[in-house]
Amino acid sequence: MTVESQLASPLFWLLALIGVTLTGISKSGFAGGAGVVAVPLLALVMPVPLAVLLMLPLLLAMDIKTIQYYRQHTSTAELKKIVPAALAGIAAGGLLLGKLPVESLKVLLGGLSIVFALWHRLAPILGQMKGAAWLWGGISGLTSTLIHAGGPPINIYLIAQRLPKLTWLASAGVFFGVMNAVKVFPYLMTGHWTRELLALSLALLPVAIFGTWLGRQIQGRISEQQFVLCCRLLLLVSGLLLIAQVIAGSR
């Protein structure tokens, strides 16, 4: 399907509006807990590599707005632990673009997310074990580069740190902002980015901004306990979506 045909497709716009809005809500309301939803939805009407490229400018815009909302609450100490690991993961992901069996990665990440979301006692084990920041930060950088699914692994780490809600949102916003900015370079090397695709991203920019605004409104109306519960629920949903995408693709 060409970009021109997508512009004329009601199904594309319906799926794009839903996926981008939910991703925006997730970014500013739940630290990216359901950020994997847009690519699977868009993959129903366009190739996955193009869906990934389409989303990156929108993710960057969402990150910028999230940072604007919460920057005064950022934990520099946490970012110093996880950002270097994420950059290493992005470098590895850039080398593996188009080479790694993405389906296997989705199943592994999805299964881990589901188990962690349902088994609360895993938090202190997986999120606070020695080298946890490097492990989950690195995996987040890798999966973010390959399939825009950096949210589940880093939230496994952040849940275990028991950060205040706004500190969690602010730190995650900066973390994802740095990652998505760095990902521009390996994505440019793929040669698949076109002016038409960038124009399509630009057309969806107001939707991304609206979703981010809506997420901020939602998080302001829930307690710390409800926030953690929602993040666990979104981690579960993310895991199920990743596995469902593999199952659907194998048919």
Side-chain angles (χ1 to χ4, degrees), residues 169-181:
L169 287 166
S171 302
V174 174
F175 177 77
F176 289 123
V178 171
M179 280 209 305
N180 286 325

Side-chain angles (χ1 to χ4, degrees), residues 21-36 66 69-70 151-152 154-156 158-159 165-166 168-170 172-173 176 211-212 214-235 238:
T21 301
L22 289 177
T23 302
I25 293 172
S26 175
K27 281 277 188 182
S28 62
F30 302 99
V36 301
T66 300
Y69 289 150
Y70 307 120
I154 203 59
N155 276 325
I156 288 174
L158 291 175
I159 284 175
K165 178 176 63 173
L166 294 182
W168 185 340
L169 287 166
F176 289 123
T212 312
L214 192 57
R216 186 190 188 193
Q217 306 308 308
I218 292 171
Q219 74 78 22
R221 290 168 170 76
I222 62 176
S223 67
E224 299 273 348
Q225 294 76 15
Q226 290 170 327
F227 174 79
V228 174
L229 180 61
C230 286
C231 286
R232 284 191 178 277
L233 178 60
L234 291 175
L235 194 59
S238 298

Side-chain angles (χ1 to χ4, degrees), residues 49-62:
L50 293 185
V52 169
L53 290 172
L54 173 67
M55 282 302 300
L56 184 56
L58 300 173
L59 293 173
L60 278 167
M62 295 173 192

